[in-house]
Amino acid sequence: MFPVFLRSLVFNVLFYAVLVCLAIVALPTFALPPRAMLTVAQWWAKATLVLMRVICNIKVEFRGVENIPTGPLVIVAKHQSFWETFVLPGFFNRPIFILKRQLMQIPVFGQFLVKTGMIAIDRNAGVKALLDMTRRAREAVRGGKQLVIFPEGTRRAPGAPPDYKTGFAQIYSSCGVPCLPIALNSGLFWPRRTFMRYPGTLVVEFLPPLPPGLPKDEFLSRVQTAIEDATGRLVEAGRKEQEQLIGSAPSYAPTGG
């Protein structure tokens, strides 16, 4: 475990050093179209994948890329780690996220989110927030963008019971476009609330898209079943690999947050 600690320490130093350097590089993009800023963000994601592989022995595998439709889209992804928030956008032409409003208040980073058209939601505003979020999401998707939603609202540790909210189903119905479910096991390698980075094969699986127009209950059931079944399979395989690499799979508290 000690080598894992050292590798994690070196990785995090370099990860944030790259972030600071690219943040400086990105400053002029505030005067350019959002695409320029997103390009710099993709450089950060690609640099991170290299650091993960070289320093932490974390390989990353993307499966089912051929399942990604072109054009406007609603993307519903499992959320276990900070990792997917900056890597997944690289697979889409005009990605936007729904995120909590507090992130908009972070200096520089918040301005980046505003510039790139991210949709902020006040979780304490109840029905009003849901209606406003749905309206903005519908306008963005109908304008040709790909909307990324984490249906559980926050990160869930590997093995935690699913906690899918229903608001994303309303967005899907309102947008009238296909839905792409995404499963992953990132929480095994880049856990929440710790700087530790564990070796193994991180897998993202783009599942077959669901057509537009499904009844709400059927949509909710099919999305959750597809994501949870695939995620469970990926997590089990990842844990077995970690047991071989470091002697035991790290334990994770089965709670959200």
PDB file of all heavy atoms in Angstrom, residues 60-69 73 75-77 83-84 87-92 148 179-184 203-209 226-227 230 233-234:
ATOM      1  N   VAL A  60      -7.086   3.066 -18.687  1.00  0.00           N
ATOM      2  CA  VAL A  60      -8.468   3.498 -18.915  1.00  0.00           C
ATOM      3  C   VAL A  60      -8.962   2.895 -20.221  1.00  0.00           C
ATOM      4  O   VAL A  60      -8.291   2.992 -21.254  1.00  0.00           O
ATOM      5  CB  VAL A  60      -8.580   5.033 -18.949  1.00  0.00           C
ATOM      6  CG1 VAL A  60     -10.029   5.449 -19.179  1.00  0.00           C
ATOM      7  CG2 VAL A  60      -8.069   5.637 -17.639  1.00  0.00           C
ATOM      8  N   GLU A  61     -10.127   2.284 -20.158  1.00  0.00           N
ATOM      9  CA  GLU A  61     -10.706   1.621 -21.323  1.00  0.00           C
ATOM     10  C   GLU A  61     -12.100   2.189 -21.572  1.00  0.00           C
ATOM     11  O   GLU A  61     -12.924   2.255 -20.650  1.00  0.00           O
ATOM     12  CB  GLU A  61     -10.779   0.115 -21.072  1.00  0.00           C
ATOM     13  CG  GLU A  61     -11.342  -0.688 -22.220  1.00  0.00           C
ATOM     14  CD  GLU A  61     -11.369  -2.178 -21.932  1.00  0.00           C
ATOM     15  OE1 GLU A  61     -10.569  -2.628 -21.086  1.00  0.00           O
ATOM     16  OE2 GLU A  61     -12.201  -2.889 -22.533  1.00  0.00           O
ATOM     17  N   PHE A  62     -12.346   2.586 -22.800  1.00  0.00           N
ATOM     18  CA  PHE A  62     -13.660   3.108 -23.190  1.00  0.00           C
ATOM     19  C   PHE A  62     -14.332   2.091 -24.109  1.00  0.00           C
ATOM     20  O   PHE A  62     -13.831   1.812 -25.195  1.00  0.00           O
ATOM     21  CB  PHE A  62     -13.518   4.460 -23.895  1.00  0.00           C
ATOM     22  CG  PHE A  62     -12.888   5.519 -23.034  1.00  0.00           C
ATOM     23  CD1 PHE A  62     -11.538   5.841 -23.166  1.00  0.00           C
ATOM     24  CD2 PHE A  62     -13.629   6.190 -22.078  1.00  0.00           C
ATOM     25  CE1 PHE A  62     -10.948   6.806 -22.372  1.00  0.00           C
ATOM     26  CE2 PHE A  62     -13.044   7.169 -21.278  1.00  0.00           C
ATOM     27  CZ  PHE A  62     -11.704   7.473 -21.428  1.00  0.00           C
ATOM     28  N   ARG A  63     -15.446   1.553 -23.673  1.00  0.00           N
ATOM     29  CA  ARG A  63     -16.168   0.542 -24.435  1.00  0.00           C
ATOM     30  C   ARG A  63     -17.473   1.116 -24.995  1.00  0.00           C
ATOM     31  O   ARG A  63     -18.092   1.991 -24.399  1.00  0.00           O
ATOM     32  CB  ARG A  63     -16.494  -0.662 -23.542  1.00  0.00           C
ATOM     33  CG  ARG A  63     -15.284  -1.353 -22.945  1.00  0.00           C
ATOM     34  CD  ARG A  63     -15.709  -2.465 -22.003  1.00  0.00           C
ATOM     35  NE  ARG A  63     -14.562  -3.084 -21.343  1.00  0.00           N
ATOM     36  CZ  ARG A  63     -14.658  -3.961 -20.341  1.00  0.00           C
ATOM     37  NH1 ARG A  63     -15.865  -4.314 -19.896  1.00  0.00           N
ATOM     38  NH2 ARG A  63     -13.568  -4.469 -19.808  1.00  0.00           N
ATOM     39  N   GLY A  64     -17.884   0.593 -26.134  1.00  0.00           N
ATOM     40  CA  GLY A  64     -19.168   0.979 -26.701  1.00  0.00           C
ATOM     41  C   GLY A  64     -19.198   2.371 -27.290  1.00  0.00           C
ATOM     42  O   GLY A  64     -20.284   2.963 -27.413  1.00  0.00           O
ATOM     43  N   VAL A  65     -18.042   2.907 -27.660  1.00  0.00           N
ATOM     44  CA  VAL A  65     -18.006   4.257 -28.238  1.00  0.00           C
ATOM     45  C   VAL A  65     -18.882   4.330 -29.493  1.00  0.00           C
ATOM     46  O   VAL A  65     -19.458   5.386 -29.803  1.00  0.00           O
ATOM     47  CB  VAL A  65     -16.546   4.664 -28.560  1.00  0.00           C
ATOM     48  CG1 VAL A  65     -16.491   6.013 -29.251  1.00  0.00           C
ATOM     49  CG2 VAL A  65     -15.711   4.703 -27.283  1.00  0.00           C
ATOM     50  N   GLU A  66     -19.001   3.210 -30.180  1.00  0.00           N
ATOM     51  CA  GLU A  66     -19.837   3.180 -31.391  1.00  0.00           C
ATOM     52  C   GLU A  66     -21.315   3.388 -31.068  1.00  0.00           C
ATOM     53  O   GLU A  66     -22.124   3.657 -31.975  1.00  0.00           O
ATOM     54  CB  GLU A  66     -19.650   1.841 -32.118  1.00  0.00           C
ATOM     55  CG  GLU A  66     -20.194   0.618 -31.403  1.00  0.00           C
ATOM     56  CD  GLU A  66     -19.251   0.053 -30.340  1.00  0.00           C
ATOM     57  OE1 GLU A  66     -18.171   0.645 -30.111  1.00  0.00           O
ATOM     58  OE2 GLU A  66     -19.615  -0.986 -29.738  1.00  0.00           O
ATOM     59  N   ASN A  67     -21.706   3.300 -29.798  1.00  0.00           N
ATOM     60  CA  ASN A  67     -23.104   3.508 -29.408  1.00  0.00           C
ATOM     61  C   ASN A  67     -23.469   4.982 -29.266  1.00  0.00           C
ATOM     62  O   ASN A  67     -24.644   5.311 -29.072  1.00  0.00           O
ATOM     63  CB  ASN A  67     -23.394   2.810 -28.079  1.00  0.00           C
ATOM     64  CG  ASN A  67     -23.442   1.300 -28.196  1.00  0.00           C
ATOM     65  OD1 ASN A  67     -23.892   0.771 -29.211  1.00  0.00           O
ATOM     66  ND2 ASN A  67     -22.992   0.600 -27.163  1.00  0.00           N
ATOM     67  N   ILE A  68     -22.470   5.880 -29.337  1.00  0.00           N
ATOM     68  CA  ILE A  68     -22.748   7.308 -29.135  1.00  0.00           C
ATOM     69  C   ILE A  68     -23.436   7.879 -30.378  1.00  0.00           C
ATOM     70  O   ILE A  68     -22.842   7.910 -31.454  1.00  0.00           O
ATOM     71  CB  ILE A  68     -21.452   8.083 -28.857  1.00  0.00           C
ATOM     72  CG1 ILE A  68     -20.742   7.520 -27.623  1.00  0.00           C
ATOM     73  CG2 ILE A  68     -21.761   9.564 -28.663  1.00  0.00           C
ATOM     74  CD1 ILE A  68     -19.402   8.173 -27.323  1.00  0.00           C
ATOM     75  N   PRO A  69     -24.693   8.339 -30.251  1.00  0.00           N
ATOM     76  CA  PRO A  69     -25.370   8.939 -31.408  1.00  0.00           C
ATOM     77  C   PRO A  69     -24.784  10.315 -31.729  1.00  0.00           C
ATOM     78  O   PRO A  69     -24.163  10.962 -30.885  1.00  0.00           O
ATOM     79  CB  PRO A  69     -26.829   9.077 -30.940  1.00  0.00           C
ATOM     80  CG  PRO A  69     -26.924   8.283 -29.669  1.00  0.00           C
ATOM     81  CD  PRO A  69     -25.552   8.279 -29.071  1.00  0.00           C
ATOM     82  N   LEU A  73     -28.638  15.237 -27.652  1.00  0.00           N
ATOM     83  CA  LEU A  73     -28.656  13.990 -26.895  1.00  0.00           C
ATOM     84  C   LEU A  73     -28.776  14.293 -25.403  1.00  0.00           C
ATOM     85  O   LEU A  73     -28.292  15.310 -24.927  1.00  0.00           O
ATOM     86  CB  LEU A  73     -27.341  13.249 -27.172  1.00  0.00           C
ATOM     87  CG  LEU A  73     -27.109  11.852 -26.597  1.00  0.00           C
ATOM     88  CD1 LEU A  73     -28.079  10.854 -27.210  1.00  0.00           C
ATOM     89  CD2 LEU A  73     -25.665  11.423 -26.883  1.00  0.00           C
ATOM     90  N   ILE A  75     -27.530  12.525 -21.962  1.00  0.00           N
ATOM     91  CA  ILE A  75     -26.596  11.508 -21.482  1.00  0.00           C
ATOM     92  C   ILE A  75     -26.831  11.314 -19.996  1.00  0.00           C
ATOM     93  O   ILE A  75     -26.781  12.276 -19.217  1.00  0.00           O
ATOM     94  CB  ILE A  75     -25.140  11.951 -21.738  1.00  0.00           C
ATOM     95  CG1 ILE A  75     -24.900  12.150 -23.237  1.00  0.00           C
ATOM     96  CG2 ILE A  75     -24.162  10.940 -21.162  1.00  0.00           C
ATOM     97  CD1 ILE A  75     -24.132  13.397 -23.563  1.00  0.00           C
ATOM     98  N   VAL A  76     -27.093  10.080 -19.590  1.00  0.00           N
ATOM     99  CA  VAL A  76     -27.346   9.762 -18.182  1.00  0.00           C
ATOM    100  C   VAL A  76     -26.226   8.850 -17.707  1.00  0.00           C
ATOM    101  O   VAL A  76     -26.123   7.709 -18.144  1.00  0.00           O
ATOM    102  CB  VAL A  76     -28.721   9.095 -17.997  1.00  0.00           C
ATOM    103  CG1 VAL A  76     -28.952   8.765 -16.533  1.00  0.00           C
ATOM    104  CG2 VAL A  76     -29.823  10.014 -18.510  1.00  0.00           C
ATOM    105  N   ALA A  77     -25.365   9.349 -16.822  1.00  0.00           N
ATOM    106  CA  ALA A  77     -24.142   8.638 -16.448  1.00  0.00           C
ATOM    107  C   ALA A  77     -24.099   8.317 -14.961  1.00  0.00           C
ATOM    108  O   ALA A  77     -24.536   9.109 -14.121  1.00  0.00           O
ATOM    109  CB  ALA A  77     -22.910   9.466 -16.822  1.00  0.00           C
ATOM    110  N   TRP A  83     -13.519  12.272 -11.529  1.00  0.00           N
ATOM    111  CA  TRP A  83     -12.849  11.960 -12.786  1.00  0.00           C
ATOM    112  C   TRP A  83     -13.762  12.119 -13.998  1.00  0.00           C
ATOM    113  O   TRP A  83     -13.385  12.736 -14.999  1.00  0.00           O
ATOM    114  CB  TRP A  83     -12.292  10.536 -12.712  1.00  0.00           C
ATOM    115  CG  TRP A  83     -11.573  10.066 -13.930  1.00  0.00           C
ATOM    116  CD1 TRP A  83     -10.263  10.238 -14.235  1.00  0.00           C
ATOM    117  CD2 TRP A  83     -12.128   9.310 -15.021  1.00  0.00           C
ATOM    118  NE1 TRP A  83      -9.957   9.646 -15.439  1.00  0.00           N
ATOM    119  CE2 TRP A  83     -11.095   9.069 -15.936  1.00  0.00           C
ATOM    120  CE3 TRP A  83     -13.400   8.822 -15.297  1.00  0.00           C
ATOM    121  CZ2 TRP A  83     -11.284   8.373 -17.119  1.00  0.00           C
ATOM    122  CZ3 TRP A  83     -13.609   8.115 -16.478  1.00  0.00           C
ATOM    123  CH2 TRP A  83     -12.553   7.903 -17.370  1.00  0.00           C
ATOM    124  N   GLU A  84     -14.950  11.548 -13.944  1.00  0.00           N
ATOM    125  CA  GLU A  84     -15.808  11.557 -15.137  1.00  0.00           C
ATOM    126  C   GLU A  84     -16.323  12.938 -15.495  1.00  0.00           C
ATOM    127  O   GLU A  84     -16.728  13.181 -16.634  1.00  0.00           O
ATOM    128  CB  GLU A  84     -16.985  10.588 -14.993  1.00  0.00           C
ATOM    129  CG  GLU A  84     -17.817  10.766 -13.749  1.00  0.00           C
ATOM    130  CD  GLU A  84     -17.384   9.805 -12.643  1.00  0.00           C
ATOM    131  OE1 GLU A  84     -16.269   9.234 -12.722  1.00  0.00           O
ATOM    132  OE2 GLU A  84     -18.176   9.633 -11.694  1.00  0.00           O
ATOM    133  N   VAL A  87     -13.575  14.114 -17.986  1.00  0.00           N
ATOM    134  CA  VAL A  87     -13.168  13.219 -19.069  1.00  0.00           C
ATOM    135  C   VAL A  87     -14.314  12.959 -20.059  1.00  0.00           C
ATOM    136  O   VAL A  87     -14.097  12.957 -21.276  1.00  0.00           O
ATOM    137  CB  VAL A  87     -12.629  11.889 -18.506  1.00  0.00           C
ATOM    138  CG1 VAL A  87     -12.376  10.887 -19.636  1.00  0.00           C
ATOM    139  CG2 VAL A  87     -11.342  12.131 -17.736  1.00  0.00           C
ATOM    140  N   LEU A  88     -15.525  12.759 -19.565  1.00  0.00           N
ATOM    141  CA  LEU A  88     -16.644  12.445 -20.453  1.00  0.00           C
ATOM    142  C   LEU A  88     -16.918  13.515 -21.515  1.00  0.00           C
ATOM    143  O   LEU A  88     -17.275  13.167 -22.649  1.00  0.00           O
ATOM    144  CB  LEU A  88     -17.915  12.193 -19.636  1.00  0.00           C
ATOM    145  CG  LEU A  88     -17.971  10.897 -18.820  1.00  0.00           C
ATOM    146  CD1 LEU A  88     -19.308  10.784 -18.103  1.00  0.00           C
ATOM    147  CD2 LEU A  88     -17.732   9.684 -19.717  1.00  0.00           C
ATOM    148  N   PRO A  89     -16.783  14.816 -21.219  1.00  0.00           N
ATOM    149  CA  PRO A  89     -17.085  15.812 -22.254  1.00  0.00           C
ATOM    150  C   PRO A  89     -16.285  15.643 -23.535  1.00  0.00           C
ATOM    151  O   PRO A  89     -16.739  16.061 -24.604  1.00  0.00           O
ATOM    152  CB  PRO A  89     -16.751  17.145 -21.567  1.00  0.00           C
ATOM    153  CG  PRO A  89     -16.957  16.874 -20.123  1.00  0.00           C
ATOM    154  CD  PRO A  89     -16.496  15.460 -19.921  1.00  0.00           C
ATOM    155  N   GLY A  90     -15.121  15.046 -23.461  1.00  0.00           N
ATOM    156  CA  GLY A  90     -14.292  14.883 -24.650  1.00  0.00           C
ATOM    157  C   GLY A  90     -14.902  13.988 -25.713  1.00  0.00           C
ATOM    158  O   GLY A  90     -14.437  13.981 -26.858  1.00  0.00           O
ATOM    159  N   PHE A  91     -15.946  13.243 -25.369  1.00  0.00           N
ATOM    160  CA  PHE A  91     -16.589  12.345 -26.332  1.00  0.00           C
ATOM    161  C   PHE A  91     -17.766  12.991 -27.058  1.00  0.00           C
ATOM    162  O   PHE A  91     -18.411  12.355 -27.884  1.00  0.00           O
ATOM    163  CB  PHE A  91     -17.064  11.069 -25.623  1.00  0.00           C
ATOM    164  CG  PHE A  91     -15.935  10.155 -25.243  1.00  0.00           C
ATOM    165  CD1 PHE A  91     -15.279  10.303 -24.033  1.00  0.00           C
ATOM    166  CD2 PHE A  91     -15.503   9.168 -26.118  1.00  0.00           C
ATOM    167  CE1 PHE A  91     -14.220   9.477 -23.689  1.00  0.00           C
ATOM    168  CE2 PHE A  91     -14.447   8.337 -25.792  1.00  0.00           C
ATOM    169  CZ  PHE A  91     -13.808   8.491 -24.574  1.00  0.00           C
ATOM    170  N   PHE A  92     -18.040  14.257 -26.739  1.00  0.00           N
ATOM    171  CA  PHE A  92     -19.211  14.905 -27.316  1.00  0.00           C
ATOM    172  C   PHE A  92     -18.824  16.248 -27.923  1.00  0.00           C
ATOM    173  O   PHE A  92     -17.878  16.899 -27.481  1.00  0.00           O
ATOM    174  CB  PHE A  92     -20.286  15.067 -26.238  1.00  0.00           C
ATOM    175  CG  PHE A  92     -20.643  13.761 -25.583  1.00  0.00           C
ATOM    176  CD1 PHE A  92     -20.099  13.408 -24.350  1.00  0.00           C
ATOM    177  CD2 PHE A  92     -21.477  12.856 -26.213  1.00  0.00           C
ATOM    178  CE1 PHE A  92     -20.390  12.195 -23.758  1.00  0.00           C
ATOM    179  CE2 PHE A  92     -21.777  11.629 -25.635  1.00  0.00           C
ATOM    180  CZ  PHE A  92     -21.235  11.297 -24.409  1.00  0.00           C
ATOM    181  N   VAL A 148     -25.339  16.304 -20.244  1.00  0.00           N
ATOM    182  CA  VAL A 148     -24.859  15.241 -19.365  1.00  0.00           C
ATOM    183  C   VAL A 148     -25.514  15.389 -17.996  1.00  0.00           C
ATOM    184  O   VAL A 148     -25.417  16.450 -17.364  1.00  0.00           O
ATOM    185  CB  VAL A 148     -23.332  15.281 -19.209  1.00  0.00           C
ATOM    186  CG1 VAL A 148     -22.859  14.108 -18.345  1.00  0.00           C
ATOM    187  CG2 VAL A 148     -22.646  15.259 -20.572  1.00  0.00           C
ATOM    188  N   CYS A 179     -31.543   8.979 -25.424  1.00  0.00           N
ATOM    189  CA  CYS A 179     -30.807   9.004 -24.157  1.00  0.00           C
ATOM    190  C   CYS A 179     -29.698   7.967 -24.211  1.00  0.00           C
ATOM    191  O   CYS A 179     -29.935   6.808 -24.558  1.00  0.00           O
ATOM    192  CB  CYS A 179     -31.750   8.710 -22.989  1.00  0.00           C
ATOM    193  SG  CYS A 179     -30.888   8.462 -21.409  1.00  0.00           S
ATOM    194  N   LEU A 180     -28.482   8.385 -23.849  1.00  0.00           N
ATOM    195  CA  LEU A 180     -27.332   7.489 -23.828  1.00  0.00           C
ATOM    196  C   LEU A 180     -26.964   7.178 -22.377  1.00  0.00           C
ATOM    197  O   LEU A 180     -26.452   8.037 -21.663  1.00  0.00           O
ATOM    198  CB  LEU A 180     -26.141   8.150 -24.533  1.00  0.00           C
ATOM    199  CG  LEU A 180     -24.843   7.325 -24.548  1.00  0.00           C
ATOM    200  CD1 LEU A 180     -24.991   6.118 -25.476  1.00  0.00           C
ATOM    201  CD2 LEU A 180     -23.664   8.183 -24.974  1.00  0.00           C
ATOM    202  N   PRO A 181     -27.194   5.932 -21.902  1.00  0.00           N
ATOM    203  CA  PRO A 181     -26.763   5.568 -20.543  1.00  0.00           C
ATOM    204  C   PRO A 181     -25.266   5.247 -20.516  1.00  0.00           C
ATOM    205  O   PRO A 181     -24.735   4.682 -21.472  1.00  0.00           O
ATOM    206  CB  PRO A 181     -27.594   4.312 -20.225  1.00  0.00           C
ATOM    207  CG  PRO A 181     -28.575   4.158 -21.363  1.00  0.00           C
ATOM    208  CD  PRO A 181     -27.969   4.863 -22.534  1.00  0.00           C
ATOM    209  N   ILE A 182     -24.605   5.588 -19.415  1.00  0.00           N
ATOM    210  CA  ILE A 182     -23.177   5.319 -19.262  1.00  0.00           C
ATOM    211  C   ILE A 182     -22.925   4.656 -17.909  1.00  0.00           C
ATOM    212  O   ILE A 182     -23.345   5.170 -16.861  1.00  0.00           O
ATOM    213  CB  ILE A 182     -22.345   6.606 -19.363  1.00  0.00           C
ATOM    214  CG1 ILE A 182     -22.530   7.269 -20.727  1.00  0.00           C
ATOM    215  CG2 ILE A 182     -20.868   6.311 -19.121  1.00  0.00           C
ATOM    216  CD1 ILE A 182     -21.763   8.577 -20.877  1.00  0.00           C
ATOM    217  N   ALA A 183     -22.233   3.523 -17.945  1.00  0.00           N
ATOM    218  CA  ALA A 183     -21.806   2.838 -16.727  1.00  0.00           C
ATOM    219  C   ALA A 183     -20.293   3.001 -16.572  1.00  0.00           C
ATOM    220  O   ALA A 183     -19.581   3.185 -17.566  1.00  0.00           O
ATOM    221  CB  ALA A 183     -22.176   1.356 -16.794  1.00  0.00           C
ATOM    222  N   LEU A 184     -19.795   2.904 -15.339  1.00  0.00           N
ATOM    223  CA  LEU A 184     -18.351   3.032 -15.109  1.00  0.00           C
ATOM    224  C   LEU A 184     -17.986   2.492 -13.734  1.00  0.00           C
ATOM    225  O   LEU A 184     -18.855   2.189 -12.913  1.00  0.00           O
ATOM    226  CB  LEU A 184     -17.917   4.493 -15.257  1.00  0.00           C
ATOM    227  CG  LEU A 184     -18.772   5.593 -14.604  1.00  0.00           C
ATOM    228  CD1 LEU A 184     -18.542   5.648 -13.102  1.00  0.00           C
ATOM    229  CD2 LEU A 184     -18.483   6.945 -15.226  1.00  0.00           C
ATOM    230  N   VAL A 203     -12.896   1.447 -16.376  1.00  0.00           N
ATOM    231  CA  VAL A 203     -13.684   1.207 -17.588  1.00  0.00           C
ATOM    232  C   VAL A 203     -14.897   2.127 -17.619  1.00  0.00           C
ATOM    233  O   VAL A 203     -15.624   2.256 -16.622  1.00  0.00           O
ATOM    234  CB  VAL A 203     -14.155  -0.260 -17.681  1.00  0.00           C
ATOM    235  CG1 VAL A 203     -14.972  -0.481 -18.958  1.00  0.00           C
ATOM    236  CG2 VAL A 203     -12.963  -1.211 -17.646  1.00  0.00           C
ATOM    237  N   VAL A 204     -15.089   2.765 -18.757  1.00  0.00           N
ATOM    238  CA  VAL A 204     -16.310   3.506 -19.052  1.00  0.00           C
ATOM    239  C   VAL A 204     -17.026   2.758 -20.170  1.00  0.00           C
ATOM    240  O   VAL A 204     -16.415   2.456 -21.194  1.00  0.00           O
ATOM    241  CB  VAL A 204     -16.011   4.952 -19.498  1.00  0.00           C
ATOM    242  CG1 VAL A 204     -17.305   5.664 -19.886  1.00  0.00           C
ATOM    243  CG2 VAL A 204     -15.284   5.713 -18.401  1.00  0.00           C
ATOM    244  N   GLU A 205     -18.300   2.463 -19.974  1.00  0.00           N
ATOM    245  CA  GLU A 205     -19.050   1.716 -20.982  1.00  0.00           C
ATOM    246  C   GLU A 205     -20.252   2.530 -21.456  1.00  0.00           C
ATOM    247  O   GLU A 205     -21.158   2.833 -20.672  1.00  0.00           O
ATOM    248  CB  GLU A 205     -19.515   0.370 -20.424  1.00  0.00           C
ATOM    249  CG  GLU A 205     -20.155  -0.521 -21.470  1.00  0.00           C
ATOM    250  CD  GLU A 205     -20.317  -1.964 -21.002  1.00  0.00           C
ATOM    251  OE1 GLU A 205     -19.661  -2.364 -20.022  1.00  0.00           O
ATOM    252  OE2 GLU A 205     -21.116  -2.689 -21.637  1.00  0.00           O
ATOM    253  N   PHE A 206     -20.227   2.908 -22.725  1.00  0.00           N
ATOM    254  CA  PHE A 206     -21.347   3.613 -23.344  1.00  0.00           C
ATOM    255  C   PHE A 206     -22.352   2.546 -23.789  1.00  0.00           C
ATOM    256  O   PHE A 206     -22.069   1.748 -24.685  1.00  0.00           O
ATOM    257  CB  PHE A 206     -20.869   4.441 -24.533  1.00  0.00           C
ATOM    258  CG  PHE A 206     -19.855   5.495 -24.170  1.00  0.00           C
ATOM    259  CD1 PHE A 206     -18.493   5.237 -24.270  1.00  0.00           C
ATOM    260  CD2 PHE A 206     -20.256   6.739 -23.721  1.00  0.00           C
ATOM    261  CE1 PHE A 206     -17.551   6.198 -23.933  1.00  0.00           C
ATOM    262  CE2 PHE A 206     -19.317   7.713 -23.381  1.00  0.00           C
ATOM    263  CZ  PHE A 206     -17.965   7.441 -23.485  1.00  0.00           C
ATOM    264  N   LEU A 207     -23.507   2.542 -23.165  1.00  0.00           N
ATOM    265  CA  LEU A 207     -24.507   1.501 -23.399  1.00  0.00           C
ATOM    266  C   LEU A 207     -25.397   1.867 -24.591  1.00  0.00           C
ATOM    267  O   LEU A 207     -25.412   3.026 -25.032  1.00  0.00           O
ATOM    268  CB  LEU A 207     -25.343   1.313 -22.136  1.00  0.00           C
ATOM    269  CG  LEU A 207     -24.523   0.975 -20.878  1.00  0.00           C
ATOM    270  CD1 LEU A 207     -25.408   1.035 -19.633  1.00  0.00           C
ATOM    271  CD2 LEU A 207     -23.888  -0.398 -21.010  1.00  0.00           C
ATOM    272  N   PRO A 208     -26.137   0.898 -25.148  1.00  0.00           N
ATOM    273  CA  PRO A 208     -27.017   1.207 -26.273  1.00  0.00           C
ATOM    274  C   PRO A 208     -28.007   2.315 -25.916  1.00  0.00           C
ATOM    275  O   PRO A 208     -28.609   2.299 -24.835  1.00  0.00           O
ATOM    276  CB  PRO A 208     -27.737  -0.123 -26.526  1.00  0.00           C
ATOM    277  CG  PRO A 208     -26.769  -1.159 -26.043  1.00  0.00           C
ATOM    278  CD  PRO A 208     -26.095  -0.540 -24.850  1.00  0.00           C
ATOM    279  N   PRO A 209     -28.177   3.300 -26.796  1.00  0.00           N
ATOM    280  CA  PRO A 209     -29.070   4.426 -26.488  1.00  0.00           C
ATOM    281  C   PRO A 209     -30.534   4.007 -26.455  1.00  0.00           C
ATOM    282  O   PRO A 209     -30.938   3.049 -27.125  1.00  0.00           O
ATOM    283  CB  PRO A 209     -28.799   5.413 -27.625  1.00  0.00           C
ATOM    284  CG  PRO A 209     -28.259   4.572 -28.739  1.00  0.00           C
ATOM    285  CD  PRO A 209     -27.509   3.453 -28.103  1.00  0.00           C
ATOM    286  N   ALA A 226     -30.182  -0.752 -16.818  1.00  0.00           N
ATOM    287  CA  ALA A 226     -29.032  -0.828 -17.730  1.00  0.00           C
ATOM    288  C   ALA A 226     -27.757  -0.343 -17.046  1.00  0.00           C
ATOM    289  O   ALA A 226     -26.708  -1.005 -17.093  1.00  0.00           O
ATOM    290  CB  ALA A 226     -29.299  -0.005 -18.986  1.00  0.00           C
ATOM    291  N   ILE A 227     -27.823   0.814 -16.391  1.00  0.00           N
ATOM    292  CA  ILE A 227     -26.628   1.384 -15.769  1.00  0.00           C
ATOM    293  C   ILE A 227     -26.162   0.551 -14.579  1.00  0.00           C
ATOM    294  O   ILE A 227     -24.972   0.259 -14.435  1.00  0.00           O
ATOM    295  CB  ILE A 227     -26.888   2.841 -15.345  1.00  0.00           C
ATOM    296  CG1 ILE A 227     -27.077   3.734 -16.570  1.00  0.00           C
ATOM    297  CG2 ILE A 227     -25.727   3.370 -14.485  1.00  0.00           C
ATOM    298  CD1 ILE A 227     -27.417   5.174 -16.239  1.00  0.00           C
ATOM    299  N   ALA A 230     -24.664  -2.965 -15.616  1.00  0.00           N
ATOM    300  CA  ALA A 230     -23.334  -2.829 -16.219  1.00  0.00           C
ATOM    301  C   ALA A 230     -22.316  -2.335 -15.199  1.00  0.00           C
ATOM    302  O   ALA A 230     -21.178  -2.825 -15.150  1.00  0.00           O
ATOM    303  CB  ALA A 230     -23.399  -1.879 -17.413  1.00  0.00           C
ATOM    304  N   ARG A 233     -21.194  -5.124 -12.902  1.00  0.00           N
ATOM    305  CA  ARG A 233     -20.258  -6.019 -13.586  1.00  0.00           C
ATOM    306  C   ARG A 233     -18.857  -5.403 -13.643  1.00  0.00           C
ATOM    307  O   ARG A 233     -17.853  -6.081 -13.407  1.00  0.00           O
ATOM    308  CB  ARG A 233     -20.797  -6.314 -14.987  1.00  0.00           C
ATOM    309  CG  ARG A 233     -19.824  -7.001 -15.928  1.00  0.00           C
ATOM    310  CD  ARG A 233     -20.507  -7.444 -17.200  1.00  0.00           C
ATOM    311  NE  ARG A 233     -21.380  -6.455 -17.778  1.00  0.00           N
ATOM    312  CZ  ARG A 233     -20.986  -5.427 -18.517  1.00  0.00           C
ATOM    313  NH1 ARG A 233     -19.690  -5.240 -18.744  1.00  0.00           N
ATOM    314  NH2 ARG A 233     -21.863  -4.576 -19.031  1.00  0.00           N
ATOM    315  N   LEU A 234     -18.785  -4.108 -13.965  1.00  0.00           N
ATOM    316  CA  LEU A 234     -17.488  -3.431 -14.066  1.00  0.00           C
ATOM    317  C   LEU A 234     -16.798  -3.318 -12.705  1.00  0.00           C
ATOM    318  O   LEU A 234     -15.581  -3.482 -12.602  1.00  0.00           O
ATOM    319  CB  LEU A 234     -17.673  -2.041 -14.678  1.00  0.00           C
ATOM    320  CG  LEU A 234     -18.224  -1.986 -16.103  1.00  0.00           C
ATOM    321  CD1 LEU A 234     -18.409  -0.534 -16.548  1.00  0.00           C
ATOM    322  CD2 LEU A 234     -17.333  -2.738 -17.073  1.00  0.00           C
TER     323      LEU A 234
END
